[in-house]
Amino acid sequence: MNNTPSLRRTPWRLGLSWLAAAWLGVAGPVLAQGDWPQHPITVVMTFPAGSGVDVVARQIQEPLGKQLGQAVVIDYKPGAAGNIASDFVSRAKPDGYTLVFGTAATHGSNAALYKKLSFDVETDFVPVAPVLDVSNVLTINPDVVPVRTLKEFVELVKANPGKYNFASTGNGTGTHMAFAEFNSRVGLDMTHVPYKGGPEAMTAVLRGETCCIMNQVQTVLTHYKAGKVRLLGVTTAKRVGAVSDVPTIAESGLAGTKGFDSSIWFGLFAPKGTDPRVVQRLNSAVQAVLENPEVRAKLEGAGNSVRLESPEQFKATVKANRQKWAEVVKAAHISLD
């Protein structure tokens, strides 16, 4: 008889324990995500310190941290056109605390350029938020190529096939792909010389080691104002406010340049499996930063265009961009190991 009450209580206790476990199992993640973030967020940088990508990331770093209530830390893992950083983040825990600062190269053209990648740029990442569109500009050392217009540049290079080298910030980067698309469209025979990053590539042009580069407006602006380089054409469909006196490449009227638009974007990506609520929180925080008049003026004053998109819209942008660069890579016959 003493065992009877115990047997009768057992199902009740088991049921209570099961309910408690179920409640914790459901409520635990909800509370965790509701309190996110609880510690600093790391943004893994795809290119070296001082590069155009890094400059933009550092401009939004502090205000983004204020929006999220936690510090944002930049961790540099440059190399292989951003593939090292992308690979690292693709294997990171999908908790929203490790992101990668990607570009139209790292999460666009690289998929077509590299035969073997340790990650899938489409399925291993969640597009979080774009930051801006970046205009490149054909920048020359006038001591190496003494021309004043894009038409004169093309005529000079065509008259000397294989003589001139163009610099880039690395194989497969936006600066490489913009020039590759231009050369393919216009029919130029030039040699590509990749450098480790923006500072090294610009130094090469300034020293006359290479004749030119299609670098970001924000990167060449100081040298342009100092009269050290000449700008022949921006890669965007419209002129750029920071260098409004420089025509677009399409304005040149040269054969093959109609509709030329080789602008690139920068944006944040999270590892696949990241909670959609965290992604949305990050997206809202980024948009709030970009809508800040002071931040926006600084970014656009350097020749960029702020891009505001939801995670879904950014996903569509990334997909369309990847398809576009795959066509460029094929047309230019580019392949990297």
Side-chain angles (χ1 to χ4, degrees), residues 35-41 61-72 97 281-282 285 289:
D35 292 341
W36 186 93
Q38 296 180 336
H39 58 76
I41 297 153
Q61 179 182 9
E62 185 178 349
L64 182 59
K66 289 180 179 179
Q67 282 290 328
L68 294 170
Q70 290 288 347
V72 173
Y97 290 105
R281 174 78 187 281
L282 281 164
V289 169

Side-chain angles (χ1 to χ4, degrees), residues 141-187:
N141 181 325
D143 293 330
V144 181
V145 277
V147 299
R148 292 190 170 276
T149 67
L150 190 63
K151 183 175 182 294
E152 290 176 355
F153 174 82
V154 169
E155 289 174 347
L156 177 64
V157 175
K158 281 190 173 182
N160 298 275
K163 177 180 177 179
Y164 294 104
N165 301 334
F166 72 90
S168 81
T169 54
N171 282 318
T173 61
T175 58
H176 175 200
M177 297 309 298
F179 224 128
E181 181 178 7
F182 177 72
N183 286 350
S184 177
R185 283 196 181 208
V186 180

Side-chain angles (χ1 to χ4, degrees), residues 90-172:
S90 73
R91 294 180 284 105
K93 187 177 180 181
D95 54 11
Y97 290 105
T98 305
L99 310 171
V100 63
F101 203 91
T103 71
T106 64
H107 289 71
S109 59
N110 280 7
L113 282 167
Y114 289 86
K115 296 176 182 178
K116 295 181 180 179
L117 288 175
S118 57
F119 54 88
D120 188 305
V121 294
E122 183 171 5
T123 61
D124 286 343
F125 297 93
V126 178
V128 173
V131 176
L132 45 74
D133 286 326
V134 182
S135 173
N136 287 321
V137 57
L138 178 49
T139 306
I140 65 167
N141 181 325
D143 293 330
V144 181
V145 277
V147 299
R148 292 190 170 276
T149 67
L150 190 63
K151 183 175 182 294
E152 290 176 355
F153 174 82
V154 169
E155 289 174 347
L156 177 64
V157 175
K158 281 190 173 182
N160 298 275
K163 177 180 177 179
Y164 294 104
N165 301 334
F166 72 90
S168 81
T169 54
N171 282 318

Side-chain angles (χ1 to χ4, degrees), residues 15-31:
L16 181 61
S17 299
W18 180 84
L19 286 172
W23 185 87
L24 289 171
V26 172
V30 172
L31 292 173

Side-chain angles (χ1 to χ4, degrees), residues 41-49 54 57-58 61 72-78 84-86 88-89 97-101:
I41 297 153
T42 298
V43 173
V44 180
M45 179 52 58
T46 43
F47 294 95
D54 176 49
R58 284 190 282 109
Q61 179 182 9
V72 173
V73 179
I74 297 179
D75 182 16
Y76 296 90
K77 294 187 184 299
I84 292 175
S86 297
F88 178 83
V89 175
Y97 290 105
T98 305
L99 310 171
V100 63
F101 203 91

